[in-house]
Structures are given as C-alpha cells and as structure tokens.
Amino acid sequence: MKKYLLLLFFVSAALKGHAQLQGQPLIDSLITQISTAKEDTNKVMMLNDLSLTYYSINPDEGLKYGQQGLALAEKLNWKRGMAYAYKVIAGNYGYGKSDYARAIEYSLK
C-alpha cells in the first residue's frame, strides 16, 4: 500500500510541475532551452514538445518545429524521436489545420 501511495505522490508531483508551465511561458522556456541545447535526443524532445504546444495556437509554427525535431531524430537515427515527431506533426495537421489527409499520412509513418 505504501508503494502505491508513494507512486501516486510522484505522479501527482510530476503532473503539477508540468501544469505550471503552459501556453506562452512554456513556449518561451522551450525556445530558450533549444537555442543552447546540444544536438542530441533531449533537443529532439524539446523540439517535439514545442511543436505539440503550438498545434492549437499556430500550427504552422508547430509544423516547423516538428519537422526540425524529425530531421534531428533522423540524423541521430533515433527511432523513438522520429515516432514522436510523426505524432506531433500529425497533430498539427489534424487538430491545428484540419488537414486530415496529411494527418493520416504522418500518423501511418
């Protein structure tokens, strides 16, 4: 029982920390971090997170960052990063631009 309570505590703390930065503050934070990040898997995740954050605000910007994340993941040959990039690009096309054909195209990759 104690294990479950401890797990619940850590999950709720993580969600609370993520919820603190939303919208423009999250975008500003990610852009600042990306500008100084090394070309590694962490940068891929930041680019993809930024793309995901933009889908409802400015899907064209979201697509730009998603494509950058995909390109870096391909350069690093990081399959998980590529899969996440395809997912966020599909989200920008589907939810942001209502271009469902392109969303399905990227979802199937």
Side-chain angles (χ1 to χ4, degrees):
M1 182 68 174
K2 288 182 181 181
K3 290 180 184 179
Y4 294 116
L5 289 174
L6 189 58
L7 178 63
L8 180 62
F9 171 76
F10 285 119
V11 169
S12 65
L15 291 174
K16 183 179 179 183
H18 179 69
Q20 288 177 351
L21 284 181
Q22 294 179 350
Q24 195 60 47
L26 177 60
I27 290 170
D28 294 341
S29 173
L30 286 169
I31 289 173
T32 301
Q33 292 175 26
I34 287 169
S35 66
T36 59
K38 296 179 196 173
E39 299 251 319
D40 61 7
T41 58
N42 289 324
K43 186 170 184 175
V44 172
M45 292 303 291
M46 285 187 274
L47 288 163
N48 289 334
D49 287 344
L50 187 55
S51 175
L52 184 63
T53 304
Y54 263 119
Y55 88 88
S56 64
I57 301 167
N58 185 345
D60 290 326
E61 282 294 301
L63 289 170
K64 178 180 90 171
Y65 287 111
Q67 293 292 347
Q68 288 176 14
L70 178 59
L72 182 55
E74 288 173 340
K75 178 180 173 185
L76 299 171
N77 197 29
W78 188 41
K79 304 284 186 204
R80 180 179 256 171
M82 285 185 264
Y84 187 38
Y86 286 131
K87 176 184 169 184
V88 298
I89 291 169
N92 276 282
Y93 275 119
Y95 295 114
K97 296 178 74 73
S98 298
D99 185 346
Y100 302 114
R102 295 292 299 268
I104 291 170
E105 174 189 335
Y106 277 92
S107 292
L108 293 175
K109 290 183 180 191

